[in-house]
Amino acid sequence: MKRWLMAIPLIVFLLGAVILYRGLYLDPSELPSAMIGKPFPAFSLPTVQGDKTLTQADLLGKPALVNVWGTWCISCRVEHPVLNKLAEKGVVIYGINYKDDNAAALKWLAEFHNPYQLDIRDEDGNLGLNLGVYGAPETFFIDAKGVIRDKYVGVIDEVVWREQLAAKYQALVDEAKP
């Protein structure tokens, strides 16, 4: 009986090691989202560049990326030039400025350019909470009907766009064609 009790710490250690080893091979950009397949959450929020109020109805009509960003987010600064290039190529991108100071967001967009066709101000983070946002940057793919079809967590750089995301976006565009 004593030998069995002495083996318990070894068994616990081995189980922990197996779990940690498995974690090394998980992709952190593939965080599950309960929002996939559901309509974009209802909201009524002002724009970053003005006092116009936007709602989820403003997101309807064409497939788009909905990019969650903040001036406090170092990774967003890395991602931003790629978003500008994508917007120049015709990719529809809506922005959600998440838990940020609006004056800082205005300065950011003036300095680094604005790739967003709509820029939603989510100072309190309620829309982000309803979307299940963990932080920034996070990007949601919505179809023309406003249904969330996919989510990407992390920086969208040129390689990520080309190898992982461009085909998903193009599929939504193709699906929306009559």
Side-chain angles (χ1 to χ4, degrees):
M1 182 69 173
K2 281 187 176 182
R3 288 185 188 201
W4 171 247
L5 289 175
M6 293 176 66
I8 290 176
L10 178 62
I11 292 169
V12 169
F13 171 77
L14 291 174
L15 285 174
V18 167
I19 290 169
L20 291 173
Y21 181 77
R22 184 181 172 327
L24 291 173
Y25 297 98
L26 297 177
D27 184 354
S29 68
E30 291 185 18
L31 290 173
S33 175
M35 295 303 295
I36 304 296
K38 295 183 179 173
F40 202 86
F43 69 93
S44 180
L45 292 168
T47 61
V48 171
Q49 298 185 358
D51 290 327
K52 179 183 177 194
T53 299
L54 299 173
T55 68
Q56 71 275 19
D58 293 303
L59 305 182
L60 303 178
K62 49 191 164 186
L65 305 180
V66 181
N67 179 253
V68 179
W69 67 282
T71 61
W72 46 265
C73 167
I74 295 168
S75 298
C76 297
R77 186 176 293 251
V78 173
E79 176 181 70
H80 202 79
V82 175
L83 296 180
N84 281 319
K85 288 179 185 176
L86 294 175
E88 288 171 10
K89 293 178 181 177
V91 174
V92 177
I93 308 172
Y94 304 137
I96 299 175
N97 184 237
Y98 181 64
K99 292 186 175 183
D100 207 349
D101 175 65
N102 199 57
L106 287 168
K107 182 179 176 190
W108 168 292
L109 293 174
E111 185 176 342
F112 299 118
H113 304 291
N114 186 352
Y116 307 116
Q117 290 188 12
L118 298 172
D119 50 7
I120 302 162
R121 185 182 346 163
D122 187 22
E123 289 175 307
D124 295 331
N126 291 328
L127 178 55
L129 181 66
N130 291 339
L131 284 166
V133 168
Y134 292 92
E138 291 188 23
T139 303
F140 295 85
F141 289 68
I142 60 170
D143 65 18
K145 296 177 183 174
V147 175
I148 298 171
R149 302 290 290 279
D150 207 343
K151 175 182 176 182
Y152 181 79
V153 177
V155 173
I156 297 176
D157 60 21
E158 291 178 9
V159 173
V160 167
W161 178 255
R162 184 178 59 250
E163 294 180 3
Q164 297 179 42
L165 305 179
K168 293 178 182 183
Y169 178 76
Q170 189 59 49
L172 292 176
V173 170
D174 292 344
E175 181 183 291
K177 289 180 183 173

